[in-house]
Amino acid sequence: MAGVRMVSDILIEIVTAIGRFLLNPLVYIAILFAILLGYSRVKQERKFFNRRIIWGWTELNGQWKYGWLNALLISLISVGLGLTVPKAFLMILIVISVLALLLFCINALSPIYTMGLATLVIWLMYQYNWTFSWWKISLEGTNLLDGAIVTITILAGLSVIAEGMLIRRTAMKVTTPRVEKTKRGMQAIVYRSRNVWVLPIFFVIPGDIIPADLPYWPQFTLGESSFALVVFPIVIGFSKLTRKELPVVKFPKMGRSVLLLGQLILIGGLIAVFEPFIGFITLAVGAVLRIVISIFYAMQDKTDIYAVAPSSKGAIIAAVLPDSPAEKMGLLAGECIRKVNGRSIFTENELYEALQLNAAHCRLEVLDCNNEIRLTQHVIYSNDHYRIGLLLAEPRDF
């Protein structure tokens, strides 16, 4: 009976943890922020290209769609090993994340920044005996050297690994072009990606539901007698403007750099098991290295070289509309269309006129990003976009 009751209590605690997640204001602020990102992106697309390129709810959809698997894996590790974190750490993490969203500091939402800053605040509160109370919330410092710094560092490493994977694989899915004047007064295309992902992760915190002597549960730190579960929204932000390279080239490289950093932080967290002070050093060095990564890739775009700009070779693709004939033909941003139905083109008007030569079928001669020529063709239907879903890099008035 005792075992059945324990299982029942744990199941109730899981449901309660989900309830705490739904009551967390950070969840709804992140949702509103994603809606705002979608609105501002569509407004920008209409300004430069007179139409919406990507669905307006894409940011909100991707906020939850792409991070759930990473959240599940981190949750399994967190709960499976009993990686306990102080309640005050999560409360401070909420405040830091909310401030970053309200101030529109998307890049400040890297986990190494938010978790590192929350750790610093808790350490200062402990060192100087600071406390904070408001309504039913009471915060006080914790001696992180008792074990919490180990779990915080490990969880920070896992979260930065998730950040790197998201940048590498999904950041390019919400990328929009815009027109920019070059230093020579010409026009070129740049690409901006702004993403805010939410990872709902199960954390173990001190509580009164789950006993520390639960069979086969390692219960990694803090030495408490009982614990509770909470589902906490780790918010990860990424914002990048790229000129010199296409997003499909730039973002995977940047993601790999962040992924490697996460692995190093994780190793530092594991070493901190033997010497907890190494956890502080790991978080500090990790934050500095994350800044270095951002600066390194930002400096690469301090140039007058653009990956996508009008060319004398033909019509350069700035963007391809989703579910259009152009997408079905495998056309990509940055490629050059030399001929349509046998006619050379350089502008969207010339593209439209060339398509009228054969209203039911189009044949394209394309020069790809490797300067290799390929031929592609597709059937055109009456409900297809009148320029087969292509937006070209050409001088525009806006």
Side-chain angles (χ1 to χ4, degrees):
M1 289 295 294
V4 174
R5 183 171 182 176
M6 180 183 295
V7 172
S8 176
D9 289 342
I10 293 175
L11 290 176
I12 292 173
E13 179 64 11
I14 292 174
V15 174
T16 304
I18 296 173
R20 295 189 187 108
F21 174 81
L22 296 176
L23 292 174
N24 194 322
L26 178 57
V27 173
Y28 302 100
I29 293 174
I31 289 174
L32 291 174
F33 192 84
I35 295 173
L36 177 61
L37 286 181
Y39 170 78
S40 61
R41 175 185 51 75
V42 171
K43 185 177 180 180
Q44 175 183 289
E45 291 170 350
R46 294 190 187 281
K47 173 183 177 181
F48 292 111
F49 298 96
N50 298 317
R51 63 161 297 124
R52 186 198 73 193
I53 300 175
I54 308 175
W55 186 43
W57 298 95
T58 303
E59 283 83 355
L60 180 59
N61 181 51
Q63 184 178 78
W64 301 91
K65 177 180 178 180
Y66 300 121
W68 71 268
L69 181 57
N70 295 297
L72 176 61
L73 294 175
I74 297 175
S75 296
L76 290 174
I77 296 172
S78 173
V79 176
L81 296 180
L83 300 178
T84 314
V85 295
K87 296 177 185 178
F89 173 78
L90 296 181
M91 297 300 297
I92 295 171
L93 197 55
I94 290 175
V95 174
I96 293 171
S97 299
V98 168
L99 286 175
L101 288 171
L102 294 179
L103 296 175
F104 222 81
C105 299
I106 300 177
N107 283 327
L109 288 167
S110 172
I112 189 60
Y113 298 151
T114 54
M115 292 188 178
L117 185 55
T119 302
L120 177 62
V121 171
I122 288 184
W123 179 81
L124 289 173
M125 291 177 68
Y126 177 78
Q127 290 295 317
Y128 296 99
N129 198 28
W130 295 340
T131 59
F132 175 81
S133 296
W134 178 73
W135 196 39
K136 296 181 180 181
I137 300 173
S138 180
L139 297 179
E140 59 183 17
T142 302
N143 185 4
L144 298 175
L145 291 175
D146 285 344
I149 187 61
V150 176
T151 57
I152 289 174
T153 306
I154 291 175
L155 290 170
L158 292 172
S159 299
V160 173
I161 289 174
E163 178 191 10
M165 294 176 67
L166 288 168
I167 294 173
R168 181 179 178 182
R169 297 178 180 177
T170 67
M172 67 200 62
K173 295 181 182 296
V174 191
T175 302
T176 187
R178 58 181 293 178
V179 180
E180 180 178 273
K181 282 191 175 182
T182 69
K183 295 177 182 179
R184 300 179 180 178
M186 308 296 286
Q187 289 186 0
I189 303 296
V190 299
Y191 295 88
R192 179 184 292 279
S193 177
R194 294 191 296 191
N195 296 268
V196 173
W197 301 289
V198 177
L199 276 60
I201 298 175
F202 275 91
F203 283 105
V204 182
I205 61 175
D208 55 5
I209 298 295
I210 306 174
D213 57 357
L214 187 70
Y216 311 113
W217 195 40
Q219 197 275 301
F220 204 78
T221 61
L222 293 190
E224 301 284 344
S225 60
S226 59
F227 300 90
L229 292 177
V230 61
V231 183
F232 187 86
I234 294 295
V235 180
I236 299 177
F238 174 74
S239 177
K240 186 75 178 74
L241 185 71
T242 180
R243 299 177 177 87
K244 189 177 179 180
E245 293 180 306
L246 290 165
V248 70
V249 176
K250 169 85 76 174
F251 294 164
K253 292 193 296 186
M254 191 172 183
R256 283 192 293 270
S257 299
V258 176
L259 180 61
L260 177 59
L261 174 61
Q263 294 170 350
L264 294 175
I265 295 171
L266 179 59
I267 293 172
L270 295 174
I271 296 175
V273 173
F274 306 100
E275 178 50 62
F277 191 75
I278 293 177
F280 288 103
I281 298 174
T282 299
L283 291 177
V285 173
V288 172
L289 290 178
R290 185 63 181 87
I291 293 173
V292 170
I293 290 173
S294 297
I295 293 175
F296 174 77
Y297 285 99
M299 291 301 294
Q300 288 187 345
D301 281 320
K302 297 293 183 180
T303 177
D304 202 29
I305 300 175
Y306 290 79
V308 178
S311 171
S312 58
K313 296 180 180 179
I316 305 297
I317 301 175
V320 177
L321 300 182
D323 300 319
S324 64
E327 184 182 63
K328 294 171 184 176
M329 283 189 283
L331 299 178
L332 302 171
E335 293 186 324
C336 175
I337 301 175
R338 299 180 62 177
K339 293 182 179 180
V340 176
N341 291 331
R343 177 181 292 184
S344 298
I345 69 162
F346 296 90
T347 67
E348 289 182 353
N349 287 335
E350 292 175 350
L351 168 65
Y352 175 73
E353 293 173 358
L355 288 171
Q356 301 313 301
L357 297 177
N358 189 341
H361 192 272
C362 68
R363 300 187 308 277
L364 277 67
E365 180 182 308
V366 181
L367 185 68
D368 66 19
C369 296
N370 296 318
N371 288 319
E372 296 180 356
I373 296 177
R374 76 173 189 274
L375 302 177
T376 183
Q377 55 187 344
H378 197 271
V379 176
I380 305 298
Y381 298 98
S382 58
N383 60 340
D384 285 330
H385 187 265
Y386 72 101
R387 289 196 297 262
I388 64 171
L390 287 172
L391 298 177
L392 303 182
E394 61 178 10
R396 296 174 182 271
D397 295 326
F398 55 87

